Amino acid sequence: MPSRRQALSHTAALAALLAGTGLFPQLARASSKQAFDARTIQDAMAALGAGALSESGDVTLSGPDIAENGAVVPFAFSTTLPGVRRLLLLVEKNPVPLVALFNVSAAVEPAFSIRAKLAQSSSVYAVAVMDDGRALYARKEIKVTLGSCGT
């Protein structure tokens, strides 16, 4: 029978092995699966446990005013607020509005650039979910001339 010290040592080795193989991020994705399956912005925010959305000048979102191809629309979003837990990108009229979710810690600068698909012209939201549950956003209207997402 292993001693308590040996059991703790084996547990730490197993945790290091799992972290090295990337299994812990899969667990994190599983916890936000409901948010990625949500069909409305409100349902996605509820699945993430965030409060009501309120507009903030401390969250920034940039992207083109007109996107000729909805399959590759570049976005950059960030915030300078301390205490950010997550940074999200949501597209209101996409079949699945939650496009990106980044878990942020004090060691990570909350500024990201991605390319996303837009099904049609829509409002796009960059949302900063704070440690206290507040959800602050910036919004931008994007016109799409050729949609994506199978529409």
Side-chain angles (χ1 to χ4, degrees):
M1 176 162 193
S3 68
R4 181 177 169 189
R5 183 171 294 203
Q6 289 173 325
L8 287 173
S9 175
H10 291 271
T11 301
L14 179 61
L17 178 66
L18 291 175
T21 59
L23 292 178
F24 284 160
Q26 290 177 351
L27 295 175
R29 272 185 260 139
S31 68
S32 56
K33 182 174 179 353
Q34 280 186 315
F36 280 105
D37 290 341
R39 297 295 180 192
T40 65
I41 289 176
Q42 292 78 18
D43 290 347
M45 298 306 293
L48 293 171
L53 291 171
S54 62
E55 193 163 5
S56 172
D58 294 321
V59 179
T60 60
L61 170 64
S62 64
D65 294 330
I66 298 174
E68 291 185 19
N69 183 357
V72 285
V73 182
F75 293 101
F77 49 106
S78 65
T79 183
T80 56
L81 294 168
V84 176
R85 184 174 34 155
R86 290 181 169 151
L87 205 54
L88 318 171
L89 186 71
L90 298 119
V91 179
E92 187 172 45
K93 293 185 180 175
N94 269 9
V96 178
L98 182 58
V99 173
L101 181 154
F102 297 95
N103 291 318
V104 179
S105 69
V108 176
E109 182 179 349
F112 300 96
S113 295
I114 66 168
R115 294 183 185 269
K117 288 184 176 184
L118 269 65
Q120 57 185 305
S121 297
S122 177
S123 293
V124 178
Y125 295 84
V127 179
V129 179
M130 310 302 292
D131 285 336
D132 60 6
R134 291 180 299 146
L136 308 173
Y137 74 90
R139 184 175 69 92
K140 182 169 180 67
E141 199 65 37
I142 307 286
K143 293 184 190 265
V144 175
T145 55
L146 178 61
S148 181
C149 298
T151 58

